[in-house]
């Protein structure tokens, strides 16, 4: 089946059904977990010069089992109701998997942001936010948007400002949106969070010797070959952190204009510089150009990272994929029929709802920061630092030896906000993978990581519905 024949929401439901059959939950409860609770479709006019553009936009709240609901806002021409519903559903499962206490939501505005000036984009964003306020679809305890494909911290700042204009005096207003600029109630480490989460998740997966043996791989990230589709926020940070902190050998990269390959490795920072100077990743010194950008998906590598849009690996190209592990940094990059082919080939797929959950995890930290009205680390940084210092003094006194100045600095450092964010994110990715892997290894009916992730999510959401007293 080619990707056009697949409803994205239907694919998510197919994956859900496959996994749900290995839980013992009653069918009524499963139906409730699966359903989209609220779909808000809007059209609003925005004056552009002498003309009016009527913009089509959505906000979908998939599940109200926990509030607020949470999920990004996408600006793209591909936006339609089916896509936003699918992405909102994935958010519910994603939040459950990483124990972020939110329901799932997603927004979409059907525009090509490259065709508008920043001023026009601001107008569209403010109007969209106003529509959300009007229908009570935004608020720190209601529904909290964030960046997604085509949006970033700039748009989030506009959303916050619009919200505050209407909700003057609301003390927790800053928590109405996450992914904001750090100087506007954002949090350190949010921009890189999804990519960093992908790296931590991969590192954890690669640490299990028996799983790696089955794939013919050694443990650890060092020297593993990687191909990445898409150098947006998620793709770029995944590449950069995997290369710098994990020693990964990045051999192939694709972007809108094409794909390149170099078996000896592509220096991601040098490539970004080249793209800035020439406007393209093509003809990067030392690398060869691939014939077509989608060939990045078919490169022989250890780890393939689709980090662009959904349904890029489908029935038509799945058989050509040669990677041993696929990390779904994008949401929904593999259609169910493609997945069957890939699993048959013995490929390990780390599903979107786990591997790209770093973004929403750090969004949760940002929201908590907004509600506490204080940055992380402010209370304990100096206290910890002094305590460590006393300890080092004691060691020095009792041993009669002095540690080096460099070592003292390292040993006595109190945690800054970014240290705590990274630590919380790493802890989340490790713990969640443990839970998923446990289901994958112990439940005889579960044969792949995506189904295990779904089972983990379904059970947690199911428990929430039961404790709410909605289901017996
Ligand atoms: N758009 C991101 C995602 O798909 C982040 C959502 C959020 O932080 O709420 O997971």
């Amino acid at each position: 089946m080619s990707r056009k024949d697949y409803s994205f929401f239907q694919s998510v439901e197919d994956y859900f059904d496959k996994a749900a059959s290995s839980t013992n939950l009653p069918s009524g409860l499963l139906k409730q977990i699966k359903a989209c609770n609220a779909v808000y479709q809007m059209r609003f006019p925005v004056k552009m010069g002498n003309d009016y553009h009527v913009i089509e936009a959505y906000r979908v709240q998939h599940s109200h089992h926990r509030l607020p609901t949470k999920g990004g806002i996408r600006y793209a021409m591909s936006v339609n109701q089916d896509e936003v519903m699918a992405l909102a559903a994935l958010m519910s499962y994603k939040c459950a998997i990483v124990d972020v206490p939110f329901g799932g939501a997603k927004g979409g505005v059907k525009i090509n942001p490259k065709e508008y000036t920043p001023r026009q984009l601001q107008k569209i964003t403010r109007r969209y936010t106003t529509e959300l306020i009007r229908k009570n679809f935004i608020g720190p305890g209601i529904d909290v948007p964030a960046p997604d494909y085509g949006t970033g911290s700039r748009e989030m700042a506009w959303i916050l400002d619009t919200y505050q204009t209407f909700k003057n005096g609301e003390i927790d207003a800053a928590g109405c949106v996450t992914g904001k600029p750090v100087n506007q109630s954002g949090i350190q480490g949010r921009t890189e969070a999804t990519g960093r989460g992908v790296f931590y998740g991969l590192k954890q997966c690669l640490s299990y010797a028996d799983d790696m043996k089955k794939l013919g791989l050694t443990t650890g990230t060092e020297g593993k070959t990687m191909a990445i589709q898409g150098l947006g926020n998620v793709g770029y940070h995944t590449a950069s952190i995997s290369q710098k902190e994990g020693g990964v050998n990045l051999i192939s990269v694709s972007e809108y204009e094409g794909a390149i390959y170099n078996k000896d490795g592509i220096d991601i920072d040098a490539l970004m510089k080249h793209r800035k100077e020439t406007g393209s990743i093509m003809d990067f010194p030392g690398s060869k150009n691939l014939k077509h950008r989608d060939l990045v998906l078919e490169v022989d590598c250890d780890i393939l990272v689709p980090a662009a849009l959904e349904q890029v690996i489908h029935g038509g190209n799945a058989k050509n994929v040669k990677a041993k592990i696929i990390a779904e940094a994008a949401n929904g990059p593999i259609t169910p029929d493609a997945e069957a082919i890939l699993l048959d080939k013995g490929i390990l797929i780390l599903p979107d709802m786990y591997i790209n959950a770093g973004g929403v995890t750090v969004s949760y930290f940002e929201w908590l920061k907004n509600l506490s009205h204080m940055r992380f680390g402010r209370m304990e940084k100096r206290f910890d630092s002094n305590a460590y210092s006393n300890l080092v003094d004691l060691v020095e006194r009792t041993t009669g030896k002095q540690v080096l100045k460099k070592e003292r600095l390292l040993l006595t450092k109190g945690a800054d906000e970014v240290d705590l964010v990274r630590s919380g994110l790493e802890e989340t990715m490790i713990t969640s993978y443990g839970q998923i892997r446990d289901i994958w290894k112990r439940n005889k009916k579960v044969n792949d990581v995506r189904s295990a992730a779904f089972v983990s999510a379904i059970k947690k959401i199911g428990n929430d519905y039961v404790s709410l007293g909605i289901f017996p």
Side-chain angles (χ1 to χ4, degrees), residues 64-79:
H64 292 146
H65 69 287
R66 291 216 174 193
L67 290 170
T69 50
K70 187 88 191 74
I73 298 174
R74 173 173 292 199
Y75 286 2
M77 282 312 286
S78 63
V79 164

Side-chain angles (χ1 to χ4, degrees), residues 328-343:
E328 294 187 327
N331 288 310
I334 301 177
T335 59
D337 58 341
E339 184 179 71
I341 298 169
L342 301 169
L343 292 177

Side-chain angles (χ1 to χ4, degrees), residues 70-72 91 94 106 144 146-148 178 190 331 356 359-360 363:
K70 187 88 191 74
M91 285 310 301
K94 194 183 300 189
K106 200 81 172 199
V144 182
D148 197 78
T178 60
R190 175 61 185 84
N331 288 310
N356 74 28
V360 77
S363 275

Side-chain angles (χ1 to χ4, degrees), residues 224-287:
K224 295 288 181 303
T225 53
M226 182 183 270
I228 298 200
Q229 181 193 42
L231 283 182
N233 176 46
V234 179
Y236 166 70
H237 285 107
T238 301
S240 167
I241 295 168
S242 300
Q243 191 163 69
K244 289 172 198 152
E245 296 180 27
V248 159
N249 182 16
L250 182 65
I251 58 168
S252 188
V253 167
S254 81
E255 243 304 324
Y256 181 76
E257 60 272 13
I260 57 167
Y261 177 88
N262 180 353
K263 71 171 184 1
D264 299 324
I266 297 163
D267 182 286
I268 187 68
D269 288 334
L271 177 65
M272 296 311 273
K273 194 164 163 265
H274 170 81
R275 190 173 195 230
K276 216 172 166 187
E277 283 161 10
T278 66
S280 163
I281 61 168
M282 305 310 278
D283 304 320
F284 181 56
S287 300

Side-chain angles (χ1 to χ4, degrees), residues 43 46 66 69 74 82 93 103 121 134 149 182 185 213 242 246 312 319 333 343 359 382 409 420 432 435 446:
R43 270 163 222 252
V46 181
R66 291 216 174 193
T69 50
R74 173 173 292 199
D82 181 80
Y93 308 128
L121 284 171
R134 206 191 337 226
Y149 190 87
V182 178
S185 308
K213 209 170 149 204
S242 300
V312 293
K319 61 179 186 312
L343 292 177
R382 295 292 150 188
L409 279 176
L420 293 169
S432 302
Q435 293 172 356
V446 174

